[in-house]
Amino acid sequence: MAQGFAQWGNDLYTGRKSYDIVGRRRLWYTISAILVAISAVLLIKPGLNPGIEFRGGSEFVVSNVESLDQQLAIDTVQGVAPGESPKVTTVGGKSLRIQTAELSNADVEEVQGALAEAFDVPKEQVTTSFIGPSWGADISRKAITGILVFLLFVTIVMTIYFRNWRMAVAALVALFHDLIITAGVYAGVGWEVTPATVIGFLTILGYSIYDTVVVFDKVRENTADTLDQTRFTYAEKANLAVNQTLVRSINTSVVALLPVASILFVGAFVLGAGTLRDIALALFVGMLIGTFSSIFLATPVEVTLREREPAIREHTRKVLAAREQRGAADGEDTEALATATVHSAGQLRPGAHQGVAAQPKRRR
């Protein structure tokens, strides 16, 4: 099986096998638009569930309890503050965390004593803390600032590196796509958004842009001589680049998702709610959707933007017209492109300097 996968990857790289990813971009645009629309609806209703770090409030942690009865904790809190709707989660295997809206000092003392009595633990094992809304607002502001600075930095660096603002725009489209869908999944699941969640969001931005840059680097390499030949269009050469990096994207994603999935399982089902669970969900969804966007969205968007250029549009028209005149079959073109790819991938022309890849013959 491993040999078959390796052969499949080799066929993709040489062009003997190819998937028309760029040519079917309307399908990927439709899928992405549907996913973004569903996520937007989820972000409106039910919406994100901000944790106590963002909304402020009082928190109680009952440690070393013999019973993890969450309903008992809810009833105990409501016995002191009837109007409250406390959120109770299990922390580890022997602790409960109870979060409420802001309570007065007297109510905090009373709830602390009531929880100690209800769970039959010393009062010292019921810790209390208060987080003000101003602290939560400061965290939110810094998170938004961090994301905006990251996006601005990415735009500048990619524009300079690729010397093409269209690739930067396509990468930003993919980033926003990943962020919105990840946030929508979080809203749909209903888990609290904590500082760990924000860290997860920032991490997936880095992962997504890394995968996209790798693909774009191959696109730039393949399309450098597009206007110097009339055998293949810009879209066809870009599609070859996506196919050549497909196996690498799959391998990287699988290697990254397996440990994250394990952390998510442990955090959600073994240890209960906590930092592990919060960050793992954001990472898992973000990496998964980031792999999709780097393959099926970023390059098709870049090609769509490039095809608006007069020079690329005119070149595409010439290629298609010449192809009609030659009456060349699609299979013949694919074989020619595969041969050119093999040469450009590593064969050397006679007399070429060692380590410098030979360029395919230009055919007009």
Side-chain angles (χ1 to χ4, degrees):
M1 184 175 179
Q3 184 177 2
F5 185 78
Q7 183 61 46
W8 177 66
N10 183 66
D11 289 346
L12 286 175
Y13 192 84
T14 58
R16 284 191 292 268
K17 181 184 290 292
S18 180
Y19 299 102
D20 192 14
I21 295 174
V22 172
R24 303 183 66 186
R25 53 186 178 270
R26 289 186 179 179
L27 172 62
W28 316 129
Y29 292 166
T30 301
I31 294 174
S32 295
I34 292 173
L35 292 176
V36 169
I38 293 174
S39 300
V41 171
L42 291 174
L43 287 171
I44 297 173
K45 187 176 182 179
L48 290 172
N49 180 21
I52 192 173
E53 296 86 356
F54 295 98
R55 68 176 186 271
S58 300
E59 180 177 276
F60 305 84
V61 177
V62 187
S63 305
N64 298 321
V65 296
E66 301 209 358
S67 170
L68 295 173
D69 188 352
Q70 296 188 3
Q71 188 59 47
L72 176 59
I74 294 174
D75 294 339
T76 301
V77 173
Q78 290 180 338
V80 177
E84 281 297 319
S85 298
K87 294 183 178 180
V88 183
T89 52
T90 302
V91 180
K94 292 186 177 180
S95 300
L96 285 174
R97 181 175 63 188
I98 302 99
Q99 296 177 339
T100 69
E102 182 180 353
L103 300 176
S104 64
N105 291 334
D107 285 343
V108 168
E109 286 286 333
E110 192 173 348
V111 170
Q112 183 182 23
L115 288 171
E117 183 179 351
F119 287 94
D120 194 23
V121 296
K123 191 175 181 179
E124 292 74 21
Q125 289 182 204
V126 182
T127 59
T128 65
S129 59
F130 170 73
I131 299 178
S134 60
W135 189 85
D138 185 55
I139 290 293
S140 301
R141 185 170 58 254
K142 288 181 178 179
I144 294 174
T145 301
I147 291 176
L148 292 178
V149 170
F150 176 84
L151 295 177
L152 177 62
F153 183 73
V154 164
T155 303
I156 295 174
V157 170
M158 289 195 67
T159 301
I160 295 175
Y161 178 72
F162 289 110
R163 295 185 291 277
N164 187 337
W165 61 267
R166 294 163 187 82
M167 285 187 172
V169 170
L172 287 181
V173 170
L175 285 178
F176 279 115
H177 169 272
D178 299 345
L179 267 181
I180 293 173
I181 294 178
T182 304
V185 171
Y186 231 97
V189 172
W191 288 0
E192 287 187 347
V193 178
T194 65
T197 307
V198 176
I199 294 173
F201 284 169
L202 292 174
T203 303
I204 64 173
L205 290 178
Y207 177 87
S208 177
I209 198 66
Y210 165 75
D211 210 24
T212 300
V213 166
V214 171
V215 178
F216 278 176
D217 214 31
K218 194 63 181 175
V219 170
R220 180 179 63 172
E221 177 184 336
N222 285 5
T223 60
D225 65 340
T226 297
L227 299 180
D228 297 331
Q229 50 80 48
T230 57
R231 293 287 290 173
F232 309 105
T233 65
Y234 183 91
E236 290 168 345
K237 283 177 166 286
N239 187 72
L240 176 63
V242 177
N243 278 270
Q244 288 175 324
T245 55
L246 185 59
V247 171
R248 176 230 161 254
S249 296
I250 294 174
N251 288 337
T252 302
S253 301
V254 171
V255 170
L257 285 173
L258 283 177
V260 172
S262 300
I263 294 173
L264 179 59
F265 175 81
V266 172
F269 301 106
V270 179
L271 300 179
T275 302
L276 280 180
R277 189 191 74 169
D278 297 339
I279 194 172
L281 178 62
L283 288 176
F284 185 83
V285 177
M287 287 181 176
L288 189 63
I289 203 66
T291 302
F292 171 84
S293 67
S294 64
I295 297 173
F296 298 100
L297 185 62
T299 301
V301 169
E302 193 271 341
V303 170
T304 299
L305 294 174
R306 286 301 300 269
E307 287 184 338
R308 294 176 179 270
E309 296 180 22
I312 297 295
R313 189 166 57 245
E314 177 63 19
H315 175 266
T316 300
R317 188 192 64 76
K318 288 181 178 179
V319 170
L320 297 180
R323 192 172 295 171
E324 272 188 30
Q325 291 176 0
R326 289 193 306 264
D330 290 342
E332 181 185 340
D333 287 328
T334 303
E335 184 179 352
L337 180 56
T339 303
T341 304
V342 171
H343 283 290
S344 63
Q347 292 185 356
L348 300 179
R349 292 194 307 267
H353 189 275
Q354 181 67 25
V356 180
Q359 299 298 317
K361 290 184 177 181
R362 293 177 181 172
R363 304 180 63 178
R364 296 185 181 273

